[in-house]
């Protein structure tokens, strides 16, 4: 089952003392990175929060936005009068210089940094970790569901791209034997025309030897065999029970390597067109895989 590294999850949990809201946002990353934003008193739980995320997420950048509200009212908060007075004094001076009205709404001033602080009543208590963990797991459940839905859509797209890649491989395999036949015909015609004025003719042995060397140089059977094996393995990963984005990235590199080799060895215009189409499919596959956990 493919999992997307992009997703959103939210949850809200309350007890008799706290209301905890958690918002999770994840984006793709080669490794797992967890960042926490929340009240200063709760930043000491960052290690525990990261541990919870790591138990459910393998790769990606996960941003955790934590909000904690005290249900007992405003007793845990203090208005810093000196800070507020400093803001008011500076705003009045600035308003006078700019000849505009000074702000009079006290509520808007309360939102300025440092005006309202958490008091001693908001200190972290042992029971706080439990309710935050509950909220984290609930948000992670939503995040997981989002990532599963995204993963199902990616799996459908990847399967269709694999179909296109296999179609290109079939075209290449069907065209490859004709390349040698056409080369033999062209070579025989050119040499015969060149030797006609001299009264000579080309030896079948020499012609067969030259065609054999050309066939050896442009033989792409091994590359096609390995490419088919990579695509088959990739399809297996799409339907696997686990999300294996790293392995998929490696297979994309190997598939691209085989297609490049086919393009350089085939020496044929029609095969070159199919190679371009295959490379386009692999590039689209790679872009999707970059977002697979």
């Amino acid at each position: 089952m493919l999992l997307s590294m992009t997703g959103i999850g939210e949850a809200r949990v309350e007890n008799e003392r706290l209301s905890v809201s958690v918002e999770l946002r994840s984006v793709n990353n080669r490794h797992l990175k967890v960042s926490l934003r929340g009240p200063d008193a709760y930043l000491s739980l960052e290690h525990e929060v990261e541990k919870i995320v790591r138990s459910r997420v393998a790769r990606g950048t996960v941003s955790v936005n934590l909000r904690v509200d005290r249900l007992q009212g405003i007793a845990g908060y203090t208005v810093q009068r000196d800070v507020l007075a400093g803001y008011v004094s500076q705003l009045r001076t600035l308003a006078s210089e700019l000849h505009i009205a000074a702000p009079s709404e006290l509520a808007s001033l309360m939102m300025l940094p440092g005006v309202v602080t958490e008091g001693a009543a908001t200190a972290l208590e042992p029971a706080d970790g439990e309710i935050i963990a509950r909220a984290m797991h609930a948000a992670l459940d939503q995040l997981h569901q989002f990532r599963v839905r995204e993963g199902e859509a990616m799996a459908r797209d990847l399967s269709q791209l694999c179909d296109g890649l296999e179609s290109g491989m079939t075209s290449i395999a069907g065209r490859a034997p004709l390349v040698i036949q056409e080369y033999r015909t062209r070579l025989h015609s050119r040499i015969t025309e060149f030797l006609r004025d001299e009264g000579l003719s080309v030896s079948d042995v020499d012609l067969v030897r030259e065609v054999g060397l050309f066939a050896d140089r442009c033989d792409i059977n091994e590359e096609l065999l390995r490419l088919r094996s990579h695509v088959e393995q990739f399809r297996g990963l799409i339907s696997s029970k686990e999300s294996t984005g790293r392995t998929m990235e490696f297979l994309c590199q190997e598939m691209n390597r085989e297609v490049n080799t086919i393009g350089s060895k085939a020496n044929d215009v029609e095969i070159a067109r199919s190679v371009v189409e295959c490379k386009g499919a692999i590039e689209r596959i790679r872009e999707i895989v970059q977002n697979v956990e």
Side-chain angles (χ1 to χ4, degrees), residues 143-154:
L143 178 66
H144 180 73
Q145 293 173 7
F146 189 103
R147 297 166 77 217
V148 167
R149 291 194 297 270
E150 290 289 312
E152 291 172 349
M154 290 192 297

Side-chain angles (χ1 to χ4, degrees), residues 58-187:
R59 288 206 302 166
T61 297
V62 182
S63 300
V64 182
N65 191 7
L66 174 66
R67 178 175 176 176
V68 181
D69 295 319
R70 302 280 169 170
L71 299 181
Q72 70 265 32
I74 64 172
Y77 298 91
T78 304
V79 176
Q80 300 298 325
R81 296 175 179 270
D82 294 340
V83 176
L84 180 59
Y87 277 124
V88 172
S89 175
Q90 294 182 57
L91 289 171
R92 284 176 176 172
T93 301
L94 185 60
S96 177
E97 293 175 355
L98 298 176
H99 304 290
I100 60 176
S104 58
E105 289 291 335
L106 187 61
S108 61
L109 298 177
M110 303 296 284
M111 303 298 294
L112 294 172
V115 174
V116 179
T117 59
E118 295 179 315
T122 62
L124 183 65
E125 296 186 8
D128 294 350
E130 180 181 352
I131 187 173
I132 290 174
R134 286 167 51 199
M136 283 293 302
H137 281 293
L140 283 167
D141 288 341
Q142 278 200 8
L143 178 66
H144 180 73
Q145 293 173 7
F146 189 103
R147 297 166 77 217
V148 167
R149 291 194 297 270
E150 290 289 312
E152 291 172 349
M154 290 192 297
R156 291 191 294 269
D157 291 341
L158 289 173
S159 294
Q160 291 176 358
L161 289 169
C162 285
D163 291 341
L165 184 56
E166 289 177 333
S167 176
M169 292 160 52
T170 301
S171 298
I172 292 172
R175 174 64 183 169
L178 301 178
V179 174
I180 300 173
Q181 296 178 15
E182 291 179 359
Y183 176 78
R184 183 187 185 284
T185 301
R186 290 197 308 270
L187 182 64

